[in-house]
Amino acid sequence: MARYTRLTEPIALITLNNPPVNALSSAVRSGIVDSVSQALKDDQVKAVVFCGENRMFSGGADIKEFSGSMSGPPLVRMIHSIEASEKLMVAAIEGVALGGGLELALGCHYRVANTKARLGLPEVTLGFLPGAGGTQRLPRLTGITAALELITTGRQISAQEALQLGIVDQVTEGNAVQAAMELALSVIGQPLNPRRLSLRPPVWSADVDSVCEVALARVKQHSRGAMAPVACVQAVRAAAMLPYSKGMEKERQLMDTLFRSSQARALQYAFFAQRNAGKWSLPNGARWNNTKARDVQRVGVIGLGTMGRGIAVSLVKAGLSVVALESDAKQLESGKKAVTAMLQRDAQRRGVGSPLHLLTFALSFHQLKDVDLVIEAVFEDMNLKKRVFSDLCKVLRAGTLICTNTSGLNVDELAKVTDRQHLVVGMHFFAPAHVMKLLEVVYGSRSSPEAVAVAMALGKRIQKVCVAVGNCPGFVGNRMLKLYMDQSLYLLEEGATPEQVDQALEEFGFAMGIFKVADLSGLDVGWRVRKASGLIGPDIDPVNPSRWRLGQRYCPLPDMLCQQGRFGQKTGRGWYLYNSPGSKEAKPDPEILNFLEDYRLKYGITPQRISSQEVIERCAFSLANEGFRILEDGIAAGPEDIDVIYLFGYGWPRHRGGPMFYASQVGLSVVLEKMEHYHRIHPDVPSLEPSRLLRRLVAEGSPPIQQWRNHIKNLHSQL
Ligand SMILES: C/C=C(\C)C(=O)SCCNC(=O)CCNC(=O)[C@H](O)C(C)(C)COP(=O)(O)OP(=O)(O)OC[C@H]1O[C@@H](n2cnc3c(N)ncnc32)[C@H](O)[C@@H]1OP(=O)(O)O
């Protein structure tokens, strides 16, 4: 797990060997300790160079080990003895040096990095701090301000930036091991104490308190209740105030608290859930590792509205050739201007050449004849999409895939109008499509495994987090969102205000409360969908709209707002008031409070005091309860996929893992009890009834989330 090699006379090479990222597992740490001791015993060896197998230094501590009992040599002690060694230690960094990987390098006396290497301390993203001395050594190299920024964000930096910050001593375009050996040979014999970061005094300066306060305010604003960024600031502050040994004590105390926290468990779960999502499987047994995706080079994008523009930009940025089609010259021109500007801005920001040569703009379907795959992104209207699909079949080559960007329309119904149902899949992008990371890849009943594989591979290529999901109204994300929105609206009817609901959700950690999100997306969007689905029609009294539709409770509040022209941010008024149309700052609107009071009076509803706890329980548990139904229906392969969708598409706080993980943490029996309670009080809301799978998991002793897939399999085999 760590290979020891004697190089030229005075140098030994220690190669970390634990593919794919050379994580510092217990075996690797043991290997390093043994190899260092071998080098120390060999009188001929004057210097040691550390590197990683396959030109990858190290991705840090082995995250899998955190959930078990830790064994092997502790990282802190190992790095300390490397730094304290009387022989010269040099890190040769290629690929990445992250977390414990970088901390190991910081324990070395010199660091050399290849130009393409990336360095960082991302522990904060896993709910930790750099607990192997990183919070004490890094500030002693870079100063407090840079260390605070790097450690509280977990940002990865280039070798060049690391050189500027003093984190590495040399950057090489060539082989870092070779460069590290040359450096070692040139400094052998020089005193090592000045190179031992732990011997440096605290990095105190007169403005330390104010710098740390600013950092604390920033992390509190961004972290939405996450503990780790706050602990990172406290640990770095210690490096400014205390000698190294005392700073290390502080680091350890803070780390102990974080290590035991449910937030750290949630963040590590999220790390693996995200990577698991790429390992898709379909109910028919097709999987990511038994299905080949053919190559896609040229993609057609139909419709250059908001979604089509973002999709085209994502594709071009990934180096794909794109034919972007619009139905009339005016729309094409405005789409072209927008896409071009977005791409040019991006190229400028990244300091790369403009990729506009990859783009062709078209008005005729014939220009799509030689594309490998089409993404239709026209307006969310089934008939319009069907027309586009059948027109496409007249020009496309036989094997070309047709993907629809829809947020919930029936993929099977669309596929039926084509001559290639097996090559039709949904690709549900999230707005703005060039920014949002999530992509739901929707397989219909006839979609072939190859079509799913192609869509998933394309999504990965354009750097999306892709989740394969089955076909049902709203798929996974929006199907669950509907129930979450319903509960939020019922809470308004029962006595809450939009800001009260939003505040509870934001304190829970959501990026934005649901009413602010609704204002941002536009209330008219859902209004149109409700009209199209027959929930609003000529038989509904616009003045006293019914609160009972299609056999269950219905909240007409958003329709009533739309009737008043309150469409959200775009009209300057929605659930909140804005300074002007398009402005983003949401302010409570007294008119809304009066409107809600009148509404309750009109319908004889006695307002209740709604606690934040009730807001969270009704919203978060409803999401999870529907998630269980989605699992029962086989629409998502596992709870991790649902959580990834909520983390990347709906602003669910990462330090709470996702709605399914949250339910598992709160305790499934608690969730069941609460759902039973709310369903008893609101029997007119069928979705509050606990799902069968939730009941079953509780009956089976509430197994850990990692085992749910087996229980779901058993459930399916008994159906
Ligand atoms: C205290 C805490 C200390 C001291 C720490 O060091 S905590 C760990 C800090 N390190 C990190 O947070 C780095 C995490 N890893 C990554 O950011 C990326 O994996 C990568 C940049 C190193 C490589 O990215 P990429 O090439 O895209 O590959 P994947 O992300 O898909 O990863 C490949 C597989 O490796 C597994 N992996 C990655 N890092 C670790 C790790 N530190 N410990 C254990 N396993 C790791 C990852 O899960 C993938 O596994 P499979 O899905 O292929 O099974």
Side-chain angles (χ1 to χ4, degrees), residues 20-21 23 56 59-64 66 75 96 98-101 103 122-123 125-126 128-132 156 255 271-272 275-276 279:
V21 303
M56 156 76 74
D62 187 339
I63 303 166
K64 286 189 209 91
F66 296 140
L75 196 55
V96 297
L98 297 176
E103 291 176 289
E123 286 92 335
T125 64
L126 297 166
F128 295 147
L129 46 69
Q156 293 180 22
M255 183 67 184
F271 176 86
F272 289 114
R275 280 148 184 90
N276 247 341
K279 297 172 184 166

Side-chain angles (χ1 to χ4, degrees), residues 25-80:
S25 64
S26 123
V28 173
R29 297 195 306 276
S30 296
I32 293 175
V33 168
D34 292 347
S35 302
V36 168
S37 119
Q38 198 173 341
L40 294 180
K41 277 190 218 134
D42 186 337
D43 287 342
Q44 303 299 311
V45 170
K46 303 287 180 232
V48 174
V49 171
F50 288 88
C51 69
E53 189 73 29
N54 294 327
R55 308 196 71 175
M56 156 76 74
F57 189 73
S58 173
D62 187 339
I63 303 166
K64 286 189 209 91
E65 286 186 351
F66 296 140
S67 52
S69 57
M70 303 284 279
S71 61
L75 196 55
V76 176
R77 212 177 299 155
M78 181 191 92
I79 294 173
H80 184 74

